Amino acid sequence: MKVVYKERELSRTDLVDRTRYSAFLVSKMCDELLAAGLIRETGLGNSTGGRPPTLLSINPDIGRVVGVHIGTFNTRIVVTDLAGEALAFRKVPSHVEVGPEIALASLISEVEATLAGAGVELDQVRGIGIGISGVLERSTGTTLFWPKVPQWTNVPVKRRFEQRFRTAIEVEDTPRTMALAERRFGQGSQASEFVYISVGAGTGAALFLRDQLYTGADGFAGEFGHLMVDAQGPLCSCGNRGCLEATLSASALIHRAEAAVSQRLSTVLWRLTGGDPAKTSIELIGQAAQEGDRFSCSLLREAGTFLGLGLVGIINLLNPRLIVIGGSLAMAAGRFLLAAVEEAIRDRALVNQATELRVRLSELGEVDWARGAALLVINQALEISVLDRLSRQQNVEGD
Amino acid sequence: MKVVYKERELSRTDLVDRTRYSAFLVSKMCDELLAAGLIRETGLGNSTGGRPPTLLSINPDIGRVVGVHIGTFNTRIVVTDLAGEALAFRKVPSHVEVGPEIALASLISEVEATLAGAGVELDQVRGIGIGISGVLERSTGTTLFWPKVPQWTNVPVKRRFEQRFRTAIEVEDTPRTMALAERRFGQGSQASEFVYISVGAGTGAALFLRDQLYTGADGFAGEFGHLMVDAQGPLCSCGNRGCLEATLSASALIHRAEAAVSQRLSTVLWRLTGGDPAKTSIELIGQAAQEGDRFSCSLLREAGTFLGLGLVGIINLLNPRLIVIGGSLAMAAGRFLLAAVEEAIRDRALVNQATELRVRLSELGEVDWARGAALLVINQALEISVLDRLSRQQNVEGD
């Protein structure tokens, strides 16, 4: 079932090739899944001589899933079918600054309102997947630490949702849920060795190695923002100097652009913000760069160079086939970053590691980020049902 | 069979637990392997109530394997049984400087002499595993590039050995073969998320992720020596400035110690080398540090600090459970390095990523490095025989 889902549509013969199970076993499993309504026949494939094969795909209507992407500033909520297609979406402020209790209660109401708006009953919901920007203990779904909002230390996000919803709750950090979306809906769909970089309020990475999300021994793999790229660089929130995140994150750039506005270093930014430093945003920096503002262009170019230096370490160490850069900074000003990133990689990465590498900007948007969170549930649900079936199958054969 | 090999000794019940195959299937496979003489019964295990279970292990005498570890200065050759136990060993100069043709011909004669000395016939040899320090194209076993010896560009090492020996030849880079040895015979045996760092003439890493050697999209993963740790640091052979390898490798340290000898900056080194800078070696720097020589101690401490800074990037990105530092520099002066490495990690690594981490010096020696190369063949041979058997098994059941 997992394979049917991954490939979207394929025949029984394809399934034998992919799973290496016998034709007999595949056929029996497909019959069972069809009988249970979990997959459906969607048409005829191309014949290679004989009768054209029947194509199978997941039945998306056997359940609904919620995806919640909790960012530092905004939360995106989506209701999807089991194929991950969006049925309803809303974007609301995260209000993390009011503290976890009130903010989570408010987000839970927003989830309920989104479901109600889509006409989805709670008992149709197979699960809720949550992506959150803080540092997570994955086993319990608890935020250990959220650098930008210290009140969010040891917040049991998963438990709060479980108390309200009687369904499976999965929690993961946002670079990973965004990477799941990229892998399924975006440019990562063909690369088994793929690194996703998220550049937003903070900077994070998610690693797809041998076609699986790699989480490390304790679930903390992918911390990319604290790679040292400039020993003389600014102090970082982690206490070190010169971390990538301290020079590259949206917060770091806004901080410098605010100073430029108050000191009138950029006439374009001054005009776009109406001279109010508090109005500075990543979107306006991106817009100023589009208009050719030298300050904004060089700010973004420098950020891209540091991002590139950090990526060189990942490229040399992991030799990925594809790097996709996403997040709010990439959405607002990606092309200014990308040119500098590519130059730094050309200058500094080792030749063999970089020859086959492609670096791309994500083309996914905020709805997709929330769909990525929904994939936490969808992938899990399908995995469990196929494993269940397989182990039952094997016991029967072994007895 | 792979599982029997990994666990060294276990019962059929253990096998059912590990493989998740049915008791029926495991029992049938064991009978077949026993009949073929590939595994043997080695005694009785602990009873959990009923009859004590029969323990199974690999029959090490069904073949012989050769391991060749080609370093920049020395080559180590070992003949092993199928459990990887050494039956004969020799260490010879690599003589890479005379060019690949003559050097490889000479190494091939040394392999023949080692086999003859051990009384092993060529038809008993299941394969030859070769670890080599240059940059490799793994698919063809060709060195693409060897920074220290430019004549070794595009040398078909695997083909040269295949022309002489009619047996399986496997070629891999030395950090990976040393890591295989550490995983099987050393401290890596318990950690599925494990990074091996080799610090010798050059600096390399091998990554065990989810219990498997991770090689990247094109086989080039693990290039750790060119991580930038000091933007103001010395020029590196790769053309960049401040790479780890330029400050840390044995060659870099010897270079600085030679200067210290000629400028009489260290009385201890001056005495140990008899005042001849050309006599400077890693072993003598290590010995001088043991004797409390301030120059040598601070040289090694600085190297350890840079190594630690490089490791912080790996720790934050991959969240390994264990890092083992090996290679000739670690053998000669490991404890001076280790203190500085641990301090740098304590100072700079993120807390969650480093809490459960252990950093250890390798306790393996040169014989084990060559045994690691032999494991390339042993692991492969066992994998193929078990896959063969399994797929035959499945076709029978599926028909």
Side-chain angles (χ1 to χ4, degrees):
Chain A
M1 184 159 178
K2 188 88 190 275
V3 179
V4 177
Y5 162 71
K6 261 196 184 166
E7 302 293 330
R8 285 158 201 239
E9 207 175 60
L10 80 186
S11 70
R12 288 168 198 230
T13 320
D14 296 334
L15 267 173
V16 172
D17 291 351
R18 300 302 158 88
T19 59
R20 295 190 186 176
Y21 296 129
S22 65
F24 175 77
L25 191 58
V26 163
S27 201
K28 251 171 67 181
M29 284 175 61
C30 288
D31 290 345
E32 261 191 65
L33 293 168
L34 279 167
L38 298 175
I39 60 176
R40 56 182 188 183
E41 297 182 332
T42 44
L44 297 177
N46 294 322
S47 166
T48 53
R51 194 157 48 101
T54 309
L55 294 179
L56 303 166
S57 67
I58 292 290
N59 179 358
D61 293 324
I62 48 177
R64 298 289 176 251
V65 174
V66 177
V68 185
H69 177 101
I70 307 177
T72 308
F73 303 113
N74 293 298
T75 292
R76 294 86 177 174
I77 301 167
V78 72
V79 178
T80 75
D81 63 23
L82 266 194
E85 291 308 313
L87 307 172
F89 174 76
R90 70 171 63 188
K91 176 177 176 180
V92 296
S94 300
H95 288 312
V96 292
E97 69 285 355
V98 302
E101 286 304 323
I102 302 176
L104 284 177
S106 151
L107 289 181
I108 285 171
S109 320
E110 294 288 353
V111 168
E112 292 171 325
T114 315
L115 283 168
V120 173
E121 301 292 329
L122 279 182
D123 60 10
Q124 291 175 271
V125 176
R126 288 294 191 101
I128 302 177
I130 301 169
I132 190 159
S133 299
V135 175
L136 266 188
E137 182 178 71
R138 295 171 75 233
S139 53
T140 60
T142 301
T143 59
L144 296 175
F145 174 64
W146 193 336
K148 315 251 162 353
V149 273
Q151 314 98 294
W152 282 69
T153 301
N154 294 320
V155 178
V157 176
K158 181 173 178 171
R159 209 167 66 218
R160 286 281 168 281
F161 274 79
E162 279 173 344
Q163 282 163 350
R164 174 64 194 88
F165 300 101
R166 300 198 176 280
T167 185
I169 311 287
E170 300 290 331
V171 187
E172 194 39 286
D173 68 17
T174 47
R176 291 193 191 139
T177 54
M178 292 159 93
L180 286 174
E182 199 67 44
R183 180 88 182 100
R184 178 88 184 132
F185 309 120
Q187 304 179 71
S189 60
Q190 296 306 316
S192 63
E193 315 302 320
F194 150 54
V195 173
Y196 180 83
I197 301 291
S198 146
V199 199
T203 308
L207 315 172
F208 268 93
L209 308 180
R210 290 196 206 99
D211 209 5
Q212 277 189 291
L213 204 48
Y214 184 74
T215 55
D218 312 293
F220 297 112
E223 192 50 79
F224 171 62
H226 301 280
L227 206 72
M228 187 188 66
V229 289
D230 178 10
Q232 270 71 46
L235 264 179
C236 179
S237 59
C238 76
N240 290 320
R241 191 172 281 284
C243 294
L244 191 57
E245 186 162 310
T247 47
L248 173 68
S249 67
S251 321
L253 295 184
I254 289 174
H255 186 72
R256 290 175 62 190
E258 280 172 354
V261 170
S262 34
Q263 293 160 42
R264 301 201 188 195
L265 295 178
S266 154
T267 48
V268 182
L269 270 183
W270 168 264
R271 173 168 52 76
L272 292 174
T273 57
D276 178 2
K279 293 223 170 96
T280 314
S281 68
I282 281 301
E283 288 71 25
L284 291 186
I285 298 172
Q287 194 181 327
Q290 299 278 11
E291 294 183 20
D293 176 48
R294 284 178 63 179
F295 172 84
S296 302
C297 286
S298 86
L299 190 65
L300 292 169
R301 200 162 44 232
E302 191 187 294
T305 301
F306 282 122
L307 177 57
L309 288 179
L311 288 177
V312 165
I314 291 192
I315 294 165
N316 290 348
L317 192 65
L318 296 179
N319 179 209
R321 178 59 45 85
L322 172 70
I323 295 176
V324 176
I325 304 171
S328 56
L329 183 57
M331 275 216 288
R335 71 184 182 90
F336 297 96
L337 285 180
L338 190 61
V341 165
E342 286 176 334
E343 192 181 322
I345 291 174
R346 220 167 25 240
D347 282 358
R348 293 204 61 122
L350 295 170
V351 175
N352 289 320
Q353 277 79 347
T355 307
E356 300 286 329
L357 173 75
R358 287 170 296 127
V359 182
R360 298 278 183 272
L361 291 175
S362 174
E363 290 165 1
L364 299 184
E366 296 172 283
V367 180
D368 303 308
W369 300 350
R371 288 167 81 201
L375 286 175
L376 290 173
V377 170
I378 297 173
N379 292 349
Q380 186 95 343
L382 297 176
E383 186 127 27
I384 288 170
S385 52
V386 75
L387 280 181
D388 262 11
R389 257 154 230 280
L390 262 182
S391 67
R392 264 186 283 145
Q393 200 74 40
Q394 258 186 4
N395 288 335
V396 173
E397 291 192 10
D399 283 344
Chain B
M1 185 160 178
K2 188 87 188 278
V3 179
V4 177
Y5 162 71
K6 260 197 184 165
E7 303 292 329
R8 285 157 201 240
E9 207 176 59
L10 81 185
S11 70
R12 287 167 199 231
T13 320
D14 296 334
L15 266 173
V16 172
D17 290 351
R18 299 305 158 88
T19 59
R20 295 189 186 177
Y21 297 129
S22 65
F24 175 78
L25 191 56
V26 163
S27 201
K28 252 171 69 181
M29 284 175 60
C30 289
D31 290 345
E32 260 190 64
L33 293 168
L34 278 167
L38 298 175
I39 61 175
R40 57 182 187 182
E41 297 182 332
T42 44
L44 296 178
N46 294 323
S47 165
T48 53
R51 195 156 50 98
T54 309
L55 295 178
L56 303 165
S57 68
I58 292 289
N59 179 358
D61 292 324
I62 49 176
R64 298 290 177 249
V65 174
V66 177
V68 185
H69 177 102
I70 307 177
T72 308
F73 303 114
N74 292 297
T75 291
R76 294 86 178 174
I77 301 168
V78 72
V79 178
T80 74
D81 63 22
L82 266 194
E85 292 308 313
L87 306 173
F89 174 75
R90 71 171 60 190
K91 177 177 175 179
V92 295
S94 299
H95 288 313
V96 293
E97 69 284 357
V98 302
E101 285 304 322
I102 301 176
L104 284 177
S106 151
L107 289 181
I108 285 171
S109 317
E110 293 288 353
V111 168
E112 292 171 323
T114 314
L115 283 168
V120 173
E121 302 292 330
L122 279 183
D123 60 9
Q124 290 175 269
V125 177
R126 288 293 191 101
I128 302 177
I130 302 169
I132 190 159
S133 299
V135 175
L136 266 186
E137 183 178 71
R138 294 173 75 233
S139 53
T140 59
T142 300
T143 59
L144 294 176
F145 174 63
W146 194 336
K148 315 255 163 346
V149 273
Q151 314 100 293
W152 282 68
T153 301
N154 294 321
V155 178
V157 176
K158 181 173 178 170
R159 208 167 67 219
R160 286 283 167 279
F161 273 79
E162 279 172 344
Q163 282 163 349
R164 175 63 195 88
F165 300 100
R166 299 197 177 283
T167 185
I169 311 287
E170 299 291 332
V171 187
E172 196 38 287
D173 68 18
T174 48
R176 291 192 192 141
T177 54
M178 291 159 94
L180 286 174
E182 200 66 45
R183 180 88 182 100
R184 178 90 184 131
F185 309 120
Q187 303 180 71
S189 60
Q190 296 305 317
S192 63
E193 313 303 320
F194 150 56
V195 173
Y196 180 85
I197 302 291
S198 146
V199 200
T203 308
L207 315 171
F208 268 92
L209 308 179
R210 290 194 207 100
D211 209 6
Q212 277 189 291
L213 205 47
Y214 184 74
T215 55
D218 312 293
F220 298 112
E223 192 51 78
F224 171 62
H226 301 280
L227 207 71
M228 186 187 67
V229 290
D230 179 11
Q232 269 71 47
L235 265 179
C236 179
S237 59
C238 77
N240 290 322
R241 190 172 283 283
C243 294
L244 191 57
E245 186 162 310
T247 46
L248 173 68
S249 67
S251 322
L253 295 184
I254 289 173
H255 186 71
R256 290 176 62 191
E258 280 171 354
V261 170
S262 32
Q263 293 160 41
R264 302 203 186 192
L265 294 178
S266 155
T267 47
V268 182
L269 270 183
W270 169 264
R271 175 167 51 76
L272 292 174
T273 57
D276 178 2
K279 292 222 170 96
T280 313
S281 69
I282 281 301
E283 288 70 24
L284 291 185
I285 297 173
Q287 193 180 328
Q290 298 279 9
E291 294 182 19
D293 176 47
R294 285 178 62 178
F295 172 84
S296 301
C297 286
S298 85
L299 190 66
L300 292 169
R301 200 163 42 234
E302 191 188 295
T305 300
F306 282 121
L307 177 56
L309 289 179
L311 288 177
V312 165
I314 291 192
I315 294 165
N316 290 348
L317 191 66
L318 296 180
N319 179 209
R321 179 59 44 85
L322 172 70
I323 296 176
V324 176
I325 305 171
S328 56
L329 184 57
M331 275 218 287
R335 72 184 180 88
F336 297 97
L337 286 180
L338 189 61
V341 164
E342 286 177 334
E343 192 182 321
I345 291 174
R346 219 166 27 238
D347 281 359
R348 293 202 63 122
L350 294 170
V351 174
N352 290 320
Q353 277 79 348
T355 306
E356 300 285 328
L357 173 75
R358 286 169 296 127
V359 183
R360 298 278 182 272
L361 291 175
S362 174
E363 290 165 0
L364 298 185
E366 295 172 285
V367 179
D368 303 308
W369 299 352
R371 289 167 81 201
L375 286 175
L376 290 173
V377 171
I378 296 174
N379 293 349
Q380 185 95 345
L382 298 176
E383 186 126 29
I384 287 170
S385 52
V386 75
L387 281 180
D388 261 12
R389 256 155 231 280
L390 262 182
S391 68
R392 264 186 282 147
Q393 201 73 41
Q394 258 186 6
N395 287 335
V396 172
E397 291 191 9
D399 281 347

